[in-house]
Amino acid sequence: MKNEPGKNEPGQPKASPPSELTQLRASIDNIDAALIYMLAERFRCTDTVGCLKAIHQLPPTDLERENQQLTRLHQIALQAGLPPALADRFFRCIVESVVTRHRQFARELPQEKPSQEK
């Protein structure tokens, strides 16, 4: 019986991954961390947008802006060699979180009371 690549004989210790695999995983870990930091920065910006929308009593969603961004991200995905559907899922996940936060800001904003004139 031939041993398949990557499989160990019963009772044999597990082989360690080749150094190239270890290096690639380290790069992936760094990229994942960078993505998280970039998302945090994006949310800092969108939180400010959400506060401005709440102050000016604007709706938490802007479908025209979302559609423009989605079209733009599809083009970028194609240029980068990624499936546009991946960009779509990624963007919609982010927008869902952003809109939820914007709605929360609107609920938490103290409502101005009409002034009472005498």
Side-chain angles (χ1 to χ4, degrees), residues 78-104:
L78 287 170
Q79 291 170 355
L82 290 174
L86 177 60
D88 184 78
R89 286 193 309 270
F90 177 74
F91 180 70
R92 290 185 191 281
C93 177
I94 291 171
V95 168
E96 182 181 316
S97 295
V98 167
V99 169
T100 298
R101 290 165 75 102
H102 288 191
R103 287 185 175 132
Q104 181 180 350

Side-chain angles (χ1 to χ4, degrees), residues 30-97:
N30 289 336
I31 293 165
D32 288 346
L35 287 170
I36 295 300
Y37 283 112
M38 291 174 75
L39 278 173
E41 182 61 24
R42 189 186 195 287
F43 274 91
R44 278 189 280 280
C45 291
T46 58
D47 283 355
T48 302
V49 168
C51 288
L52 288 169
K53 284 181 172 183
I55 290 166
H56 295 283
Q57 298 179 344
L58 298 171
T61 59
D62 183 342
L63 295 180
E64 184 177 340
R65 165 80 173 147
E66 289 174 28
N67 288 332
Q68 290 169 349
Q69 278 294 89
L70 196 52
T71 298
R72 181 177 160 271
L73 292 174
H74 278 193
Q75 292 169 348
I76 292 169
L78 287 170
Q79 291 170 355
L82 290 174
L86 177 60
D88 184 78
R89 286 193 309 270
F90 177 74
F91 180 70
R92 290 185 191 281
C93 177
I94 291 171
V95 168
E96 182 181 316
S97 295

Side-chain angles (χ1 to χ4, degrees), residues 13-24:
K14 231 180 183 180
S16 62
S19 67
E20 183 180 10
L21 180 59
T22 302
Q23 290 171 352
L24 288 168

